[in-house]
Amino acid sequence: MTALVPRAARRRAGQLASFAEALLTPHGVDRYLELLDPMLVRKEIRGVVTEVRRQAADTVTLTIRPSRAWRGFTAGQYVRVSVHIDGVRRTRCYSPACSQYRTDGLLELTIKADPHGLVSSYLYANAERGMVLELSQPDGAFTMPANRPHGVLLISGGSGITPVISMLRTLVDEGHGGPITFLHYANTADDVLYRDELAELAATHPGLRVAFGYTHEHTGGDLHGFFGTEHLHAVAPWYRDAETYLCGPTPLMDAVRTVFDTAGLSEQLHTEEFAPPPLQLDTGNATGQVRFTHSGAETANSGRPLLEQAEEAGLRPEHGCRMGICFSCTKVKATGCVRDARSGELSTEENEEIQLCISVPVGDVEINC
Amino acid sequence: MTGLQDRLTPEQVEEFGREMDEIRQRLVADLGKEDVDYIQNLIKTQRALEVTGRGLLFAGFFPPAWMAGVAALSVAKILDNMEIGHNVMHGQYDWTRIPALSSQKFEWDNVAPAQNWRHSHNYIHHTYTNILDKDRDIGYGILRIDPAQKWHPYYLGNPAYASVLAFIFQWGVMLHDLEFDRIAKGERTWADTKEVGANMLRKAARQVGKDYVLFPLLTGPLAPLTLLGNATANMSRNLWAFAIIFCGHFPADVESFTEEETENETRGQWYLRQILGSANITGGKLFHIMSGNLSHQIEHHLFPDIPARRYPQIAEEIRASCAKYGLPYHAGPLHKQLFSVAKKLVKLALPWNGEPSDPKPTTLERDKDLAAA
């Protein structure tokens, strides 16, 4: 689209924008435009809700028109969505469920209200047309290679459907030639999200097979009970020659991983965690001092993630998901060693960027915070 | 001068500290949407005044429009620097996690770069409040404002320096971070100033660029009038900020401390020092907002990271606590406090180093031998 705008005009627009920034320094143009209309912002990304649909009892689907800085996403990626709840800006990650080629430029997010989830419950209860959300550019490496695999197996459970249905819709838009199986697990038939859309896709795309597995019912689905090899043989017997994309609750993820590992296919399995893997913390053997250089705060290493230690020391570092996916709490570690509590990976180099929420000090560390 | 330790028994100091901590806890627990709405509305008002002021200067050939424009822009700059900038940069709204209200990201409409200022103000001044040779805000390294500062013939110009500083206050605040006085004394080298210096040049260039080049040029033939208008607005803000800030710590009855008496301070003692070293300015609601609630300097020094709109809410309670422990709670109207500061500046231009009206220990006499030990 930008190619249609003459280069000279674009350059002029760019000059005008930097002139406006120079006039409105130090706050910048967005801080003034947003007061007229939050969607006018140029650098930050906002999204206005254009449609709200509640397709299952605890789920809300939002159609969102992003503001001008939005650059589009790749199927499988997520965006950080921020809302203000009782004065505090809360950020969570959600994967768009639409095709990356959606022509109207709109974005579709499906959010399952977790009774303990502040943001999901808030959105479920309060989302309405005209609501403005703060968005980030898309992020995440759970994507298909540009050179598409021939056979594609998409496995999801519950609200983990969103990144994989985005992949499916994208493949359908591309007129994908190879076989696709979309295997989705839900507790019961009533809990299936996107049932009509999936049926429609299956009807129009010959290579696509959509299969529903009901974990808590014995009839009515294509499959029943929890995932196992027999399910694979039933709906995608060619899975050994395919690339598999998986997103869902931890038990499903574990079950699929075990099957693929045993079959020696772990290279062909690609996953996205919604629920964070449990952090491995060893608070009994923690040693060393943690020093936060900017604030001067210092505390004895408790063995808990640095974000918690910083908060206990009275600091309030910016953060989002608290589980290592949103990178809002990234800070520079000046000296010392920290361990990634998810993977056990060590960061030993000086001046390395680390995520406070999943990093645990190993001995003395200095954090620029 | 009465030592800091002579005021109360150690138990009383800690008891007092606990009372302050309780007030703090209560405030923190109560923070919410109201606080955010307040500051967002204030920002809206400030931006509207700024745009109106700049807009009116396009009609600056018409004297009432010029005057109204300058007035609007002056108020906008005052609000930006004081109730918004100073307070946001203190981290008072960091709990909201809103990037535009983040102490680490906010920049104010002032030539002093936020990053430099946060260090000298939030850390040095607020931690070492009124400790001689530690708190660089005592006289800002150029004035003699405390009798304990050693006299030097240079200080004969004390009142003149202060008057000049009042008019160019934003530049004074900016240059303060070069710590020129410490370079002169050899405690600091020019090389140490490289980063803060670069920040200053960058920030000052942008500020000068908009106020004295771009906006004047935009108004075409009115450029000189616009430049004059912007300069007047900057100057009004300078004078106002100078007045408010000098009344916060420099009126006659406010105390200063030595490094020795504040060594190994407990939290209670720190609170105590904040009370003794600060002075409030009395006035109406609008006055408090225009002063960035620095008119509640005492409450601000007790809880520098609590949203300033909360200070008036707790002022009575703090005052009552002070009365209970026999502590002074310095407060007076602006004109009185200003006069007191001016008198002090003139007096201290001369070698006089007599004690100001020495406050007597107002509560239990502490064991003097213990204090002397």
Side-chain angles (χ1 to χ4, degrees):
Chain A
M1 204 170 79
T2 44
L4 299 176
V5 183
R7 190 174 295 172
R10 259 189 294 153
R11 199 179 321 122
R12 256 200 309 281
Q15 283 165 348
L16 196 67
S18 41
F19 184 63
E21 290 291 349
L23 287 176
L24 296 174
T25 187
H27 305 304
V29 176
D30 279 357
R31 296 279 80 77
Y32 293 81
L33 290 177
E34 71 180 356
L35 298 178
L36 297 173
D37 177 350
M39 289 298 290
L40 286 178
V41 290
R42 296 179 55 89
K43 285 187 173 167
E44 289 168 15
I45 312 172
R46 306 276 164 81
V48 63
V49 174
T50 57
E51 198 194 316
V52 179
R53 193 156 63 95
R54 290 182 168 80
Q55 37 173 329
D58 53 357
T59 305
V60 62
T61 297
L62 310 177
T63 308
I64 294 165
R65 180 167 55 78
S67 62
R68 54 182 297 154
W70 173 252
R71 290 200 301 263
F73 74 106
T74 304
Q77 288 189 308
Y78 59 83
V79 289
R80 286 184 275 277
V81 177
S82 304
V83 288
H84 295 219
I85 304 174
D86 195 22
V88 182
R89 182 179 187 259
R90 309 278 179 177
T91 304
R92 295 293 184 272
C93 300
Y94 295 107
S95 307
C98 49
S99 162
Q100 68 184 54
Y101 302 114
R102 188 168 168 148
T103 46
D104 54 11
L106 299 182
L107 208 58
E108 182 181 304
L109 300 181
T110 288
I111 295 150
K112 186 176 150 82
D114 171 356
H116 305 292
L118 192 63
V119 174
S120 60
S121 307
Y122 176 84
L123 284 172
Y124 179 75
N126 297 293
E128 55 180 6
R129 268 180 68 115
M131 180 187 207
V132 175
L133 309 170
E134 293 170 32
L135 306 177
S136 72
Q137 293 292 4
D139 213 337
F142 181 60
T143 53
M144 299 179 288
N147 191 3
R148 304 290 193 219
H150 182 67
V152 179
L153 170 56
L154 302 167
I155 308 177
S156 58
S159 60
I161 194 171
T162 51
V164 287
I165 199 175
S166 171
M167 289 178 175
L168 175 64
R169 286 166 153 179
T170 299
L171 289 171
V172 168
D173 280 352
E174 286 172 356
H176 185 72
I180 309 170
T181 289
F182 190 90
L183 170 55
H184 178 68
Y185 287 89
N187 287 350
T188 68
D190 293 338
D191 300 312
V192 172
L193 302 171
Y194 290 106
R195 177 186 292 282
D196 297 343
E197 288 85 346
L198 286 167
E200 210 173 296
L201 287 173
T204 55
H205 193 82
L208 168 65
R209 168 154 194 202
V210 173
F212 295 119
Y214 301 145
T215 51
H216 293 61
E217 273 176 5
H218 300 291
T219 54
D222 302 290
L223 301 164
H224 302 95
F226 290 97
F227 174 85
T229 325
E230 67 286 359
H231 284 192
L232 273 188
H233 288 296
V235 298
W238 38 262
Y239 70 95
R240 288 178 174 277
D241 305 316
E243 294 292 320
T244 299
Y245 296 87
L246 163 69
C247 182
T250 311
L252 172 66
M253 307 273 294
D254 289 344
V256 177
R257 268 201 206 100
T258 309
V259 168
F260 276 70
D261 285 350
T262 316
L265 296 172
S266 42
E267 294 283 298
Q268 283 157 252
L269 177 65
H270 313 276
T271 61
E272 173 80 320
E273 306 275 351
F274 273 12
L279 299 184
Q280 303 143 20
L281 301 173
D282 182 8
T283 49
N285 294 313
T287 58
Q289 285 289 113
V290 183
R291 226 170 72 74
F292 298 98
T293 53
H294 290 337
S295 56
E298 193 165 343
T299 174
N301 176 19
S302 66
R304 305 285 308 163
L306 275 165
L307 180 59
E308 287 176 34
Q309 300 204 37
E311 286 170 342
E312 269 155 32
L315 310 182
R316 294 157 180 170
E318 190 189 345
H319 62 273
C321 65
R322 303 187 78 102
M323 55 189 194
I325 56 175
C326 78
F327 295 88
S328 303
C329 64
T330 300
K331 293 273 187 258
V332 172
K333 176 201 65 182
T335 61
C337 171
V338 299
R339 188 168 51 82
D340 183 327
R342 301 165 303 179
S343 62
E345 205 177 316
L346 295 177
S347 148
T348 51
E349 265 173 58
E350 283 187 8
N351 295 318
E352 208 163 5
E353 284 198 340
I354 58 161
Q355 293 169 270
L356 295 185
C357 67
I358 47 95
S359 297
V360 177
V362 180
D364 292 341
V365 289
E366 277 194 338
I367 310 294
N368 292 344
C369 170
Chain B
M1 189 184 291
T2 315
L4 184 59
Q5 312 299 342
D6 301 339
R7 298 241 163 211
L8 303 170
T9 65
E11 294 74 29
Q12 283 179 314
V13 174
E14 294 320 301
E15 182 58 31
F16 176 72
R18 269 193 295 280
E19 277 180 32
M20 295 299 113
D21 275 337
E22 267 166 39
I23 296 176
R24 180 190 172 80
Q25 286 309 321
R26 214 176 55 222
L27 286 177
V28 169
D30 194 45
L31 294 179
K33 190 166 181 303
E34 248 181 60
D35 299 275
V36 182
D37 288 348
Y38 169 80
I39 196 72
Q40 300 283 35
N41 282 331
L42 206 79
I43 288 174
K44 257 182 226 166
T45 309
Q46 185 272 328
R47 303 282 145 89
L49 281 166
E50 184 187 347
V51 171
T52 309
R54 303 252 186 226
L56 280 168
L57 287 178
F58 280 79
F61 53 85
F62 181 55
W66 187 87
M67 282 188 276
V70 171
L73 195 54
S74 303
V75 175
K77 280 178 182 277
I78 287 170
L79 288 177
D80 178 281
N81 285 187
M82 303 190 79
E83 183 71 336
I84 302 167
H86 168 267
N87 292 333
V88 167
M89 282 148 65
H90 255 293
Q92 294 182 359
Y93 297 92
D94 280 8
W95 55 273
T96 67
R97 304 179 199 166
I98 298 171
L101 298 179
S102 155
S103 64
Q104 305 301 308
K105 293 182 181 143
F106 192 89
E107 261 297 349
W108 54 358
D109 184 5
N110 186 307
V111 290
Q115 196 194 340
N116 295 356
W117 181 85
R118 281 201 315 267
H119 174 77
S120 63
H121 181 84
N122 287 5
Y123 172 46
I124 303 290
H125 169 59
H126 273 272
T127 312
Y128 303 115
T129 313
N130 284 28
I131 301 178
L132 282 161
D133 298 328
K134 283 241 169 184
D135 180 3
R136 301 196 59 258
D137 281 21
I138 299 182
Y140 298 102
I142 52 171
L143 299 174
R144 185 165 182 248
I145 195 69
D146 194 287
Q149 285 174 282
K150 199 169 170 288
W151 186 81
H152 182 277
Y154 160 87
Y155 289 123
L156 285 169
N158 220 26
Y161 309 147
S163 312
V164 173
L165 180 62
F167 282 91
I168 58 156
F169 194 53
Q170 66 163 343
W171 296 96
V173 172
M174 179 187 93
L175 293 172
H176 182 51
D177 292 320
L178 278 180
E179 307 192 29
F180 184 71
D181 53 311
R182 287 184 57 210
I183 295 175
K185 281 190 220 152
E187 293 171 10
R188 192 174 149 91
T189 69
W190 281 108
D192 295 335
T193 65
K194 210 171 146 197
E195 195 194 328
V196 284
N199 286 346
M200 286 176 197
L201 282 179
R202 237 188 341 261
K203 181 75 194 288
R206 279 194 216 120
Q207 291 291 116
V208 168
K210 74 164 173 173
D211 276 343
Y212 300 130
V213 181
L214 295 181
F215 274 111
L217 285 180
L218 269 184
T219 53
L222 298 179
L225 280 176
T226 309
L227 189 141
L228 187 67
N230 291 348
T232 311
N234 276 324
M235 190 187 71
S236 314
R237 182 270 328 273
N238 287 346
L239 290 171
W240 178 254
F242 174 91
I244 297 297
I245 288 159
F246 269 58
C247 288
H249 297 291
F250 304 153
D253 41 7
V254 172
E255 296 169 37
S256 65
F257 314 96
T258 61
E259 283 187 56
E260 296 79 58
E261 64 181 336
T262 54
E263 258 172 32
N264 305 318
E265 228 178 16
T266 63
R267 190 160 173 81
Q269 288 166 333
W270 182 85
Y271 276 133
L272 183 60
R273 177 158 54 84
Q274 303 305 325
I275 298 239
L276 301 176
S278 308
N280 282 4
I281 316 170
T282 52
K285 195 173 170 207
L286 184 65
F287 171 73
H288 291 314
I289 293 174
M290 290 295 285
S291 78
N293 272 303
L294 289 181
S295 47
H296 289 98
Q297 189 76 230
I298 297 174
E299 288 74 18
H300 173 57
H301 263 267
L302 291 170
F303 312 120
D305 59 346
I306 300 276
R309 67 178 280 268
R310 299 286 188 157
Y311 299 154
Q313 299 175 4
I314 54 164
E316 271 320 300
E317 214 176 329
I318 303 286
R319 186 193 277 271
S321 244
C322 288
K324 181 172 140 194
Y325 289 95
L327 298 170
Y329 182 93
H330 307 302
L334 184 63
H335 63 88
K336 189 180 147 251
Q337 303 295 78
L338 263 182
F339 182 68
S340 170
V341 173
K343 218 166 68 183
K344 206 167 164 187
L345 281 164
V346 171
K347 243 178 166 176
L348 291 173
L350 301 170
W352 176 82
N353 64 353
E355 302 291 300
S357 52
D358 190 1
K360 291 281 168 285
T362 37
T363 52
L364 298 176
E365 281 285 349
R366 197 162 167 249
D367 187 352
K368 292 286 178 190
D369 295 331
L370 210 144

